[in-house]
Each structure stands twice: as C-alpha cells, then as structure tokens.
Amino acid sequence: MLKVNIDGQNLEVAEGTTILEAAKKAHIKIPTLCYEEGLSIYGGCRLCVVEVEGENLLQPACATEIRDGMIVRTHSPKVREVRKTLFELIIASHDISCELNCLTCSRNGSCELRKVAEDIGITEIRLSPINKGYGEDKSSYAIMREPNKCITCGRCIRKCEEVQGIGIFTMANRGPATIVTTFGDKGMGNVECTNCGQCIHACPTGALHEVYHYESVWDVLHDESKHVVVQTAPAVRVAISEAFGDEPGTIATGQMVAALRRLGFDKVFDTNFSADLTIMEEGTELIQRIKEGGTLPLFTSCSPGWIKFIEHFYPEFLPHLSSCKSPQQMFGAIAKSYYAEKNNIPREDLVVVSVMPCTAKKFEAKRPEMDGDVDYVLTTRELAGMIKAAGIDMVNLEEEEYDRIMGTSTGAADIFGATGGVMEAALRTAYELITGKELEKLDFYDVRGMTGIKETEVEIDGLTVRAAVAHGLGNVRKLMEMIKAGKEYHFVELMACPGGCIGGGGQPIPTTDEIRQKRIDSIYQIDKNKKLRKSHENPYIKKLYDEYLGEPGSHRAHELLHTHYTARGV
Amino acid sequence: MEETLFLKREEVKDINNYDFPALKKALKMKQEDVIVEVKRSTLKGRGGAGFPTGLKWELAFKEAADKKYLICNGDEGEPGTFKDRYLLEESPLKVLEGILIAAYAIGADEGYIYIRGEYAKPIRVFSRVIEEAREKGILGENIFGSGFNFDLYLVKGAGAYVCGDETSLINSIEGKRGRSRIKPPYPVEKGLFDKPTVVNNVETLASAAEIINQGADRYLSLGTEKSRGTKLVCLSGDIRNPGIYELEFGQATLREIIDDFGGGLKNGSGLKFVVPGGISTSILLEDELDIPYTYEDLDAAGSSLGSGAVIVVGEDHDLIDLMLNVSRFFMDETCGTCFPCREGNRQIYHMLKWKKNGFTAKERQLIKDIGKTIHLAARCGLGQTSLNFISSVLDKFEDELMVRGDINVEG
Ligand SMILES: Cc1cc2nc3c(=O)[nH]c(=O)nc-3n(C[C@H](O)[C@H](O)[C@H](O)COP(=O)(O)O)c2cc1C
Ligand code: SF4
Ligand code: SF4
Ligand code: SF4
Ligand code: SF4
C-alpha cells in the first residue's frame, strides 16, 4: 500500500491507483471531461490537473499514479485558476451562438460542460466562441453528428473502439484543424457503424445524438385522419422516469402508458406482446434446427445493432441467424395486417410508432425488407422530451394499463430488455414445448448479469442444450471468435449494447454500469411479479395464432414475421 | 574569439577514409564501461530537454527485454535550428558512430534515424551512408568482429514539429498519429513497439562519439561546472554572419556571440531583442546579454538554452507581426490532443490577428492567464513552452504594446 496525502487527508491506496481514483476515495471530486470509467486514459482535457508537491507543472490526475508519500492539492488557488481559464478555452471552441446554444441542444438537460461549469464555479467567459464552420453529418438513419459542438475529447472514438470493438471514428488533422470524423470522412451512414448509439452515451456534449423522429410523430398525432398506435420496448419502462429526475431503475410502466394516452396515441400497445411472439417463432426455429439437423448454433436476431455487425464483420455466419424479425418489426407487421384488418383501418391511415431504448431500431425500421411496417421510432429520450413538451407531469400520473390485445405480455417478454433475457425466455418455452412438462425453476441465473460472456447448459429431454450470451459488441466479437475457433453451442444470444437494451443508445443520459445494473434489477423484478412468466402462456398470443397465423412457423407466420439479411462486408 | 573545436574538429564524410576509432574503442569496452564514461562526461541531451545522456543509457541498459531500440532524433523542427542538418551533411559518419556506440551500450540491435522531411540533402547523404555501412559490415552482423549486431533504418519525418517530441516520434515511426504519449511509461521502459527505447538527438550522439574518442577527461576540461563541453550554436536573424559556431560553454557571453561571431547587426540597425534558445524560449533584451552562454546562466536570466538557436532581432520589426508569426506556428503545429495547447494557441492567434492598436489591460490579463494555463497544464513540451516567446515580449515591451493610458491598470 502507498501513503498519500490529498488536500490534507491521509489515505492508503494500492499500487497503480491514480490520483483521480484516490481522490474519489477521499470523497473529493476532481472535474474531468475526456475521462470515462472503463475507457483508456487520454489526458487531453487537462481539467483534472492537480498540484503535486515537488513538481513545477500541474499533473493530470487521471494519468498520474500515486507514488508513496505523495502530497497532492486538487483545488489550490493555482489549480482553480488554471481550470477556469481552461474551461473558458473549451467553451470558446464549442460554438455556442444564437442559433446553436444550450437551450436548443439535445443535451440541454444532461450536458457535462454545464456540470463542469457548475463544479468549478465559472462566473465569466472572456473569449468569444470560434465557429469552426463544419457541416453536419446526416448520412446515417440512426445517428447525427454536429461537429461544431465537438470538443474533440475522443470519448466516442474510444467507446466505439475499446468497448464496441468497431472503431468508426478517428482524429484527423492537427493543430486548430483537429477534428473527430469517420474514417475517410465518409459519414456515419457510409461506414461499418452498427448504429448502436453507445458513442452518444460517451459524448459529454450534444455533438452526437439520434436522428429525430419526434417532430413527425407530433404531426401524425395532430392529424385527424390518422390512426396512430404506439408500442413500447421492455427496457423503456425501467428508464424513462430517470429523465424526470427519478432514481435509476424506477419502474414507471403505468405512468408511461397514461402519458402516451394523454399525448394522443389512439392505442397504447406493448412490444412485449411481440416479444412473446418472437419466442414462439424463434423457439420453434430452434427446436426445428436441433431436430432436423439445421445450422447450429442458432443466433438471436432481435438486436439490429448486432445484425448490422454480423452483416459487416461475420457475413459467413449469416445462415446461423434466426430468420425472426425483431419484436419491433413483428409488432409492426401484425399491426399493419391483423390489427388493421380486424379494425377496418386502411393501411395508409394506420401509423405505427415505436418507443425504443435503441438508436439502431431507427435504421432497422428503414430496411427495405421491413416494408415500412414501423413508421417512426422514438428513443426513450425523445419520448421523455415529448411528454415534457406537452406539460405532462408523468411521474405523478395514475397508472394505466396497456390496450388489448397487443398490450398483454408475460414476464418472459419483460426480460428481453436485459442481457441474457431472450435466452432465458426461450429456454423457458423451449423446455416446456419439447418435454411437455412443466419447468420447475424458471430463473436461469447463469445467463443474468453484467459478465461479458455467459454460458449455461440445460437438460431438455435427454439433450444437453448448450447456450451462450454476449452483450456489448466487444464481447460479441470475442464470442464470435470462440465459435469460429470451434466452440460448440446450440443457441447464442447476442446484444449490441453493454447490459442489453436497458443500456441502449437511446436511453436516458447518463447510462453508466451502475445505472445499467439498477435497470436490470427492475426488469427482473417486473418478471418476478407477473403471474404469467412463459411466452407460450400468453393467452392473446394463442388467440393470434388461432385466429390469424395458424401455428408457429406457419406459412403466414413466415411471410409476416421472418426476414432475410444482407452480407455487407467491410 | 575563436571557436572551440571538439565536434567540428574534423568533418567525416568518406567511409573509405574513416576508421571509426570511437566505435572500435567502445566495442572493446564492456557496455557498462561505455555508459560510465558517458556518465562521467556529464553530457546532457542536445535536443532541448537537457536530460543526462549517460543516465538515459543506463536506465535503458538496465531494462530486461528481448529487444531494445535506439532512435536518433533528426527532426529538427524548431525554427532557427540547423545544427543537426550541419552534422548530418558534414559529419554523417560521426553521427553513425554515435548511434552505434549508444546502441551497443544499451543493447539495441535495431535502430531508426528520423530525419526531418524537408531535409532533402541530409536524407540523401545519410541514406548513402547507411547503404555503404551495410556493404562494409559496419551495420549488420558481428560488427568489427565484436559479436555486436545492429541495423539502422532511415525514416523521413512527416513534417510536423510535434513529431520531434520523442513519444510523438515513436508513434510516427509506428505509423500512428504523430502525437505525444502519456509519460510514464517513459520510452526507456516502453518505447517503440513497447520495447525499451533510447531517443537521442543527433548532436548528442555525435558528442558521445567524440567523448569516447577523446575521453571524458578532455570533455570535462571544457565548459563550466554545470555545462560541460561544447555546443553548436545556430546563429541567425538580423546579423552579418549567420551560421553554426561551436563554442565551449562559458567561453563567450551572448553579446560576444552576436558581435564577435555574428559580426553584429546587419545594415547598422539597432538590436531589439534576442531569442536565445529558439522560439519556444523567452526573449532577452539588449541589457540582458552580458551573461555567459551556459545552461545555468540562461536559466537564471529567465530563459533557456533550448536547442541552441540564437535568433537576433533588429529594431525595424513590428512586434505584433512577430508575435503573430510565432503564434501561427504554434497554433498550426499543436498535435491537437490536449485542450489548453490546441485552444489556447488558437485563441491567442485570433486575438493577435486583429490587433493593431495595442492591448488593453483586460486582454493583457487574458493572454497572461492563457499563457499560465498552457504552461502549467499542457500535455507535452510543445504546449508548455508555446507561449514563452509571446508572454516575454508582452512583459518586456509593455510600454510599446499597451493601449495608451491602460498600462498597469488592473482589468
Ligand atoms: C514539441 C517538441 C519538439 C521537439 N523536437 C525535437 C527535435 O526536433 N529534435 C530533438 O532532438 N529533440 C526534440 N525534442 C526533444 C525530444 O523529445 C527528446 O527530448 C530528445 O530527442 C531527446 O534527445 P536528447 O536527450 O539527446 O536531447 C522535442 C520535444 C518537444 C516537446
Ligand atoms: S453507433 Fe456504435 S458502432 Fe456506430 S460509431 Fe457509435 S459506437 Fe460506433
Ligand atoms: S463527438 Fe462528443 S465524444 Fe466524440 S470527441 Fe466530440 S465531444 Fe468528444
Ligand atoms: S442491444 Fe438493444 S438497444 Fe442495443 S442495438 Fe440491440 S436492440 Fe438496440
Ligand atoms: S501540448 Fe500541444 S502538442 Fe503537446 S499534446 Fe498537447 S496539443 Fe499536443
């Protein structure tokens, strides 16, 4: 252990601890911008500089390891003065102007620059902003970049490269022309970006955000001729109230449903319904592939971030992908067929909106093979913004129920929102469908939690089913390499975002590991409290098959609920 | 006054007429003994930072590793500096000898010489030297029958000043973006391809060769207690005889260097100020020039010896123009990684660009604050020293540069 004195506090820390980490232990907050837990150290913003006795120059707390006997001053007058000037410089590079300012910014409620300004006590800005004059990158269906707001902290670069294992961004040029851009400046829509949106969570400013659909949604809500239905993904209900100041993990399902009704949606449905449907189709596919010697392992297909990833980086594995559409798209397909027919709504008058924790779903909805079944995709953040704009005090609303029949679901659908959930839901159903016996222990703890790659084995009717789960594309790549090297599984769940969809690119900011865990806990709480916890027990799913689809895997089910993929390569 | 010829004693260009006496001597010594001799000489790095060369070699020598590298830094990007070019053109074999001795001492079997991209002639000369040395077995296996193996590759600089910084240079050789690395780890621990690496300046290595050749005692007999040996001074600016002069430390004052070697100011103009160590150092005024040219005396005067570029500025220059030029240089040359350097230099440039009628007390304070912030918080030497020139001009020509009536008024 090393002894260190920070701001008069004596403490002991392990070798390799940085000043920043040690200060945190002593309950001292040192401001940072380019630092993010879990990413490599960059040492660019210099806001974390501190005085170290014996050194003339200030030292970056994030990059300086404690030496035995070190005496550190984190907020001395010299340090505070330097930080203030530094902050003025950063702000001047961040292009705040009349048309582009904090009030109109996507991050008006979650900007880290504002937090830092508060933390270091900024009272004046003496420099006028320098307009860098870059154009916006609108090439992607999912994510938009505003480089004028970029402070080149490099967090998006490191997030994409180190956590997601992709590396879309790069730092180009030098001097004042230094800019973060996509490879070859091609634009995010023209490179191997998976649209996962994790870079948005990394960004301290409004330089990265989703491509907005909320304006179009306002339009259709006010258009009398349209019948507008909405679906909400499982992960949204355990996160949306964070945008209203609630504790992470607060469950706000009923309040959200009430708010959606007040916004004017004609029907408020649940993506959980189609998640149950997905399990029926995907479970059937799994059983078929096992019984008939089909391509194994079977890969889940509900994460469009993962789909784009495999299309780019492992196209040779496309036959392994389940042909099932994602729950979002299954919902869209059923809404625009079964629901429209039953209620005599012409297809052109029916608008399907989805609320997703996800940016990649925006891209997915635009895939030509999806036939425009889902018209608009809102992120959790966009919906929260609409609710605020409508003056609805969501968290204090009386809870309301989803509409029938596409609003009813089992606990198996809820857990889709967490890593391992699809696997668990599928195992619950597959077991009972194959054996015809009741599954005694419904909880598959092996596949839950934040471990990057998880494995389990389940005995089903004499067969040991081997399953694996990976979340976060960096882990996904690792698992893919294991499979490539010969590791054998029957069924593999892959999710683009760390933690699964509860950590999706469209979720409230901040989304940290701690917050992810709280959202996950709530998801399992919801599942636990439900009477029905197995997809095949959903009475309305049975009804849908009886009335419309026939049976799982039927011809009609295939037409509506299954899709195909495109080998994109790199 | 005469030059003191230690390095410039002989120019060695023809490989067929050069015997590599220092290298042969070194190869007969134990590695540790070579290091001891260089340490004893107290030679300091000539690339600007002045780190003791013997100590650097010792640190690298002590690292246990399957591979080590030696890099000769010939990027010479600091305006007004051209001594490495002189050595590479006129004494390339001395430089090669220094490289081989250093490599032998630390146990490196591969090395790079990184030469500034604009230096067409030195690149040509040194490429040929490498080729010829390979043919003659002075590079390759079992050099001079000693069992020591070493090969050397030439890399052309990418044209960025920051690439002269040793960690940026290592990134650049690895094919990465030329920007500084966070230290620690230092290159001697984890440098090129994460192997222990010594980076030394061209002049440092040539001096080391001469130290082995002529002996540390001869070197120690030259200079002052804190600045031993000689230095190649690059004299330029508004003087009659610009050029490279080799001077024993303490042999002459700055004024003597300018008058005796430089022949005084040209066109009979008066002297405005001197930049004694390249544009990343603080200026000295006419009445500050009677100090001996040594590391310690320049430090005491509030400036620094830097890379050895002495730039003399005559009276007829516009101060704001000069500041603008220097500012433009640093603004363009920041690698862009750290905020104080990138944004600070950008802001200073923008402030100077529209300046015609002098500074207000407020602006003056702002420049001071930015200067302090960059100096204290920037990530590498480029940023830390980038405002030395401008801040010192502002300090020393306050009367001339401030808006009338605004002097010393707290803004
Ligand atoms: C911005 C910057 C530019 C530099 N440029 C050079 C250079 O052109 N040549 C050089 O030898 N050292 C340069 N240095 C110093 C090197 O980082 C390093 O200290 C030096 O090469 C070590 O050699 P020495 O110990 O022999 O001086 C530069 C440093 C900085 C921060
Ligand atoms: S959306 Fe995902 S893949 Fe695309 S740049 Fe951002 S982090 Fe990388
Ligand atoms: S886009 Fe955001 S995260 Fe990326 S470098 Fe710019 S400010 Fe940082
Ligand atoms: S893991 Fe969920 S949130 Fe992330 S890309 Fe996939 S579907 Fe979207
Ligand atoms: S001080 Fe300047 S050159 Fe050095 S790392 Fe920072 S931006 Fe780059």
Side-chain angles (χ1 to χ4, degrees), chain B residues 151-281:
Chain B
D151 209 349
L152 181 67
Y153 309 95
L154 190 150
V155 177
K156 273 195 260 182
Y161 173 49
V162 72
C163 285
D165 162 69
E166 55 189 5
T167 58
S168 311
L169 185 146
I170 286 169
N171 276 340
S172 175
I173 294 178
E174 286 183 8
K176 298 186 182 138
R177 185 175 157 79
R179 68 156 175 240
S180 65
R181 291 183 179 177
I182 295 175
K183 296 188 267 191
Y186 291 90
V188 287
E189 305 158 281
K190 258 185 162 194
L192 188 62
F193 305 115
D194 286 344
K195 300 295 178 195
T197 302
V198 161
V199 182
N200 270 139
N201 173 255
V202 170
E203 185 186 352
T204 312
L205 290 169
S207 302
E210 278 303 334
I211 286 167
I212 297 297
N213 193 23
Q214 302 179 42
D217 287 330
R218 160 82 180 127
Y219 197 75
L220 285 167
S221 73
L222 298 168
T224 66
E225 199 185 323
K226 287 188 176 142
S227 309
R228 293 291 184 194
T230 63
K231 176 83 189 84
L232 295 181
V233 178
C234 315
L235 196 51
S236 68
D238 302 323
I239 38 155
R240 286 211 184 85
N241 308 316
I244 305 273
Y245 300 95
E246 182 170 19
L247 298 180
E248 181 184 347
F249 281 109
Q251 168 188 1
T253 63
L254 267 175
R255 191 184 306 283
E256 284 164 344
I257 292 177
I258 294 162
D259 290 343
D260 292 6
F261 293 99
L265 272 87
K266 63 182 179 199
N267 308 329
S269 121
L271 186 146
K272 189 133 194 162
F273 61 81
V274 174
V275 199
I279 62 167
S280 51
T281 63

Side-chain angles (χ1 to χ4, degrees), chain A residues 42-46 56-58 78 81 85-86 89-90 92-93 126-127 130 151-152 171 173-176 178, chain B residues 159-160 177 331-334 336-340 342-343 346-347 366 369 372-373 375-379 384:
Chain A
Y42 187 56
C45 79
R46 316 307 281 181
N56 282 329
L57 303 178
L58 302 179
K78 186 166 161 186
E81 207 182 301
T85 310
L86 203 43
L89 291 168
I90 295 170
S93 77
R126 294 170 292 175
L127 296 161
I130 290 174
I151 58 171
T152 56
M171 189 93 63
N173 306 332
R174 68 167 195 266
T178 305
Chain B
R177 185 175 157 79
M331 175 179 79
D332 287 342
E333 294 297 334
T334 66
T337 301
C338 80
F339 295 18
R342 185 187 69 226
E343 298 308 329
R346 189 207 308 258
Q347 285 292 343
L366 192 51
D369 288 350
K372 184 173 171 187
T373 300
H375 174 65
L376 289 174
R379 199 169 111 137
Q384 286 153 13

Side-chain angles (χ1 to χ4, degrees), chain A residues 166-188:
Chain A
I166 315 275
I168 290 312
F169 296 119
T170 171
M171 189 93 63
N173 306 332
R174 68 167 195 266
T178 305
I179 183 180
V180 172
T181 178
T182 45
F183 202 76
D185 208 16
K186 286 193 204 161
M188 289 183 79

